[in-house]
Amino acid sequence: MEPRQQQRNIVIVGGGIIGCTTAYYLTRHPRFDPALHRITLLEATAIASGASGKAGGLLALWAYPECLVPLSYRLHRELAAEHGGAERWGYRQLGCGSLRATVKGSDIKSKREAQHSPPSSSPPQKKENATPSGAAALPIQSATVDGYAEDKAWEKLPKQDEKASSLLQASPLPADLDWIQNDLVHHYEEMGLPGFTETSQVHPFKFTTSIAELAKEAGVDFRIGAKVTKINSTKAGVQSVEYEGRGTLASGVIDHVTDVIVAAGPWTGRLLPRAKIESLRAHSVVFNADVSPYAVFTDIQLPTEYVPEHRASKGQKRKHRGNVDPEIYARPGGEVYACGEPDVTTPLPDTADLVQCDQDQCDDLIAYIGTVSPVLAAAPIKAKQACYLPRHMRFGEERAPLVGQTGVPGVWIAAGHTCWGIQNGPGTGCLMAEMLFDGQARSANVEKLNPRKFKV
């Protein structure tokens, strides 16, 4: 006979993908009893207001860390099957590859001439609330704005590690990848082994908000506008959680807390400094364009003298050294998402609604992509945005995320997933539920992610 369940008052800090999947899986655990277990999620701004709403949504069996990826990738498939994810949050498999392209000065010149010449036919209908990419849809890259060094090299997001890169296999540009100008591409590699290194995707905002809604339906108390200011604890364990009310929500204290799970993304370090969770700002854009389903990692060599029109018009000379490599993901529903180089020039603000977006960095990204994709160069822009990714840093190096109990009984952490938060959200939430209700992770061995190994 199993021991009788005890009452638990569980508080989750953070309404991003990790907090929402944790809430979801807690309510789905066989030991969950709504008569004994109270779950409250506190979010300062809105569900998916940070990186969880502005990420690319790529899912991959070649992602990292290895101990977490297979479980989470499988759970994505199961969640989509159970809750209609294909229709509800755009779950699907897609092609994935890496290309190298060389853009010459003559290519830039001909594109600009074509862009500024009178149209031969009526322009396509623009979607409501979308602004055309215009002059910004022609490319540039590199470095001297808001603290950048004048000759700073392009920096890529840490999406591929060495093992993932080794899975690339040389192949010709796929015939249906027709939104990339193929005469500029001199090398294309398809990502890996069918059935073993699959790539899929979700729409991150729709996925996170859908999972949050399912958790809410199961009884989780969501308090939106609750900025957590303090976790009160002793060596014996957690006691209470204080939060500042924002908007219409009054400030408050949750007493008699038995467990608090800090899943606040880059803001985790503000509450648990010993976790060493830092932030990295990333810009992205969303095009209104209906193209074939591919995730494309680019390596674009641009002319050294190239200055995009939006900077040239301001008298700026943003220089670049070598190549640039924006990532481009086609999405269902007529969207294409693209992200560019990260930066650390602007400190993390207090809340997600205060994140600053550098429009010029977004226009740089649009311009670079426009050099290799006439389709996207002509597409209206749906969004220009920025968010902060949470990084677990030790001795100046990025480490795997932290998932598990800290040195304080009842205080848990699930943070530091960098650019793989959407991919690893379900696995993290599932394991957190097992740790709380079973006393150990059962579905995967994630001992290497144990916060106590890092003295948190």
Side-chain angles (χ1 to χ4, degrees), residues 259-322:
D259 304 274
V260 57
I261 304 167
V262 183
W267 288 275
T268 298
R270 301 271 175 91
L271 294 172
L272 301 176
R274 294 180 67 178
K276 305 295 183 184
I277 302 296
E278 299 181 4
S279 62
L280 182 70
R281 188 172 67 161
H283 285 82
S284 58
V285 296
V286 180
F287 300 85
N288 273 326
D290 192 1
V291 301
S292 55
Y294 279 90
V296 180
F297 297 92
T298 70
D299 183 348
I300 306 170
Q301 182 178 343
L302 296 173
T304 56
E305 71 279 5
Y306 173 61
V307 179
E309 290 192 1
H310 68 279
R311 291 196 181 275
S313 66
K314 300 176 183 178
Q316 298 176 354
K317 294 184 178 180
R318 182 173 171 84
K319 298 178 180 178
H320 60 88
R321 232 191 319 172

Side-chain angles (χ1 to χ4, degrees), residues 8 11 91 99 127 133 136 146 169 206 217 280 288 296 299 315 320 325 348 361 381-382 405 420 429 434:
R8 303 187 82 148
V11 175
Y91 175 84
L99 64 82
K127 295 188 179 182
S133 49
D146 296 336
Q169 299 177 347
K206 294 178 181 179
E217 291 170 2
L280 182 70
N288 273 326
V296 180
D299 183 348
H320 60 88
D325 44 19
L348 180 72
Q361 288 201 51
I381 301 300
K382 183 175 183 178
Q405 188 170 0
W420 287 116
E434 292 175 351

